[in-house]
Amino acid sequence: MVEVSVVNLLQEPPGRLGLAPMEGVIDAHTRDLLTRQSGFDWTVTEFVRVVDARLPPRVFHKHCPELLHPAVATPGGVPVHLQLLGSDPKALAANARQALSLGVTSLDLNFGCPAKLVNRHDGGASLLRDPARVHAVVAAVHEAVGHAIPVTAKLRLGFADRRLAVNCALAAEAGGARQLVVHARTRNEGYRPPAHWEWIGRIRARLSIPVVANGDIWSLEDYWRARTLSGCRDVMIGRGALADPWLAPRIRHWQLTGERLPPTSWATRAEVLTRFAALQRSTLAERVVSSLIKQWLSHMRARDPEAARRFERLKRISNLDALLTGLAA
Ligand SMILES: Cc1cc2nc3c(=O)[nH]c(=O)nc-3n(C[C@H](O)[C@H](O)[C@H](O)COP(=O)(O)O)c2cc1C
């Protein structure tokens, strides 16, 4: 394990923390809850899937309700970037213009999605098989929005292997991307550990734009190891922030003070889940809210024995009141 010390802290400037996009998991309510404490510097929406047509405003507002507020930020003031997924440069450009007209302040392009359905239609990580296509997509979107807003990209290390990792990143940069997030695995590696943080370092060494390290940051130690092995100042965190909603505040606190916050208590976790239920209940049916709570509890259980015990006890309950009582008891 890498020793996390104040000495390391003093040698390095604090880095930025991004909240990762997670389709079907991190929606506007989750972004809101995870950015109420200081920690995250930016967040990204679930992907908006672009096939051919220009999508109506309601699709953008559904993925990014924060567009209805002038700052396009969470209630805690953290900027929200909108993510597009697709493979047709023209269609992506048309939707980028549409997003711009609706007030988007930053556009992210998805080159990482491993889903079979998405890849079969040539979207997400399947574009990593051909750097020229990565370039064409980024360039088309960049040209569509001019210099009005930044275009960024999120990549994996490759599709089946890592041979094109650096070329795809260079292609995105040449197309006009202002920043890359790299999830340190190939598409075929799915979410299997380990994350190859040192490979992000190889990419970073060849690019002049900021490269953000992503994948398997579950703790303060992982955070520092990912930074050390990738050489990146900035990281993006997805599942780790669900497993421990205090992970980003914990990292930020440590960056600023060199002190470790105590582990996140069950009471704090239960409070987050209860607030989550109340937010979701304003728009969704009780049954759906119950399964969303169990989904988040399931993310917590891998890292917290009390969450694991509660999950086992509550996993078959679909009545929302009973579930909330079970969380609080
Ligand atoms: C359920 C799920 C949904 C995801 N949805 C998206 C998405 O919409 N866009 C995207 O770029 N990445 C998506 N990802 C990938 C994450 O953003 C992130 O790159 C990956 O989970 C690795 O980071 P982590 O170990 O911190 O979770 C998703 C991952 C998961 C597990």
Side-chain angles (χ1 to χ4, degrees):
M1 190 190 291
V2 171
E3 185 60 25
V4 179
S5 71
V6 181
V7 176
N8 286 342
L9 172 76
L10 295 176
Q11 286 168 351
E12 290 287 330
R16 292 178 307 147
L17 306 174
L19 175 60
M22 284 179 66
E23 201 243 340
V25 184
I26 301 188
D27 61 1
H29 291 318
T30 317
R31 289 194 286 277
D32 170 9
L33 286 169
L34 290 176
T35 57
R36 287 186 184 188
Q37 307 296 317
S38 143
F40 284 117
D41 297 292
W42 83 99
T43 70
V44 183
T45 67
E46 300 161 83
F47 63 76
V48 173
R49 179 131 178 248
V50 172
V51 181
D52 43 18
R54 194 177 67 157
L55 297 162
R58 73 182 145 73
V59 175
F60 293 89
H61 288 132
K62 179 166 172 277
H63 284 78
C64 186
E66 294 94 339
L67 278 172
L68 298 170
H69 304 284
V72 196
T74 65
V78 177
V80 181
H81 301 179
L82 185 102
Q83 188 180 68
L84 298 178
L85 177 150
S87 57
D88 176 353
K90 267 199 191 138
L92 283 162
N95 281 285
R97 278 191 289 270
Q98 175 80 310
L100 183 62
S101 76
L102 296 170
V104 158
T105 53
S106 183
L107 269 178
D108 187 55
L109 295 168
N110 180 319
F111 296 102
C113 183
K116 282 208 171 85
L117 181 69
V118 167
N119 292 164
R120 218 180 299 136
H121 291 93
D122 225 9
S126 66
L127 292 172
L128 299 175
R129 290 186 276 215
D130 184 356
R133 296 194 66 197
V134 172
H135 180 269
V137 162
V138 178
V141 171
H142 179 54
E143 276 160 31
V145 298
H147 289 283
I149 56 170
V151 174
T152 59
K154 185 158 174 290
L155 286 72
R156 282 179 177 250
L157 293 175
F159 191 85
D161 57 53
R162 300 174 207 136
R163 269 178 306 164
L164 295 173
V166 172
N167 286 348
C168 284
L170 286 169
E173 181 181 47
R178 295 248 201 109
Q179 168 177 287
L180 297 191
V181 173
V182 183
H183 176 189
R185 294 184 175 91
T186 62
R187 182 267 182 197
N188 284 359
E189 285 168 337
Y191 294 94
R192 273 193 312 281
H196 307 284
W197 292 316
E198 68 288 357
W199 264 85
I200 304 179
R202 293 192 192 193
I203 293 173
R204 186 193 52 76
R206 297 286 302 281
L207 267 62
S208 1
I209 54 174
V211 174
V212 178
N214 168 241
D216 277 2
I217 296 176
W218 301 95
S219 63
L220 193 53
E221 284 74 17
D222 291 339
Y223 165 71
W224 195 255
R225 249 201 358 253
R227 281 195 56 174
T228 306
L229 292 178
S230 68
C232 297
R233 286 187 67 222
D234 306 325
V235 307
M236 178 173 266
I237 303 174
R239 293 166 301 163
L242 295 166
D244 176 4
W246 246 245
L247 179 56
R250 180 185 313 290
I251 294 171
R252 181 53 36 93
H253 184 80
W254 176 79
Q255 285 176 332
L256 297 175
T257 65
E259 291 166 10
R260 284 165 179 270
L261 289 175
T264 307
S265 66
W266 169 254
T268 302
R269 292 166 189 275
E271 200 181 304
V272 171
L273 293 172
T274 306
R275 285 204 191 128
F276 179 64
L279 289 172
Q280 296 290 10
R281 189 67 188 96
S282 61
T283 49
L284 298 174
E286 229 181 272
R287 197 175 31 82
V288 182
V289 177
S290 295
S291 47
L292 287 174
I293 292 185
K294 284 187 274 181
Q295 177 175 261
W296 195 338
L297 184 58
S298 168
H299 278 282
M300 285 180 184
R301 78 185 153 138
R303 303 279 148 178
D304 182 64
E306 184 56 31
R309 271 193 291 279
R310 303 268 173 161
F311 182 82
E312 279 311 307
R313 213 183 300 153
L314 302 174
K315 66 184 177 191
R316 285 193 190 82
I317 295 181
S318 54
N319 177 282
L320 184 57
D321 286 336
L323 199 53
L324 292 174
T325 307
L327 292 177

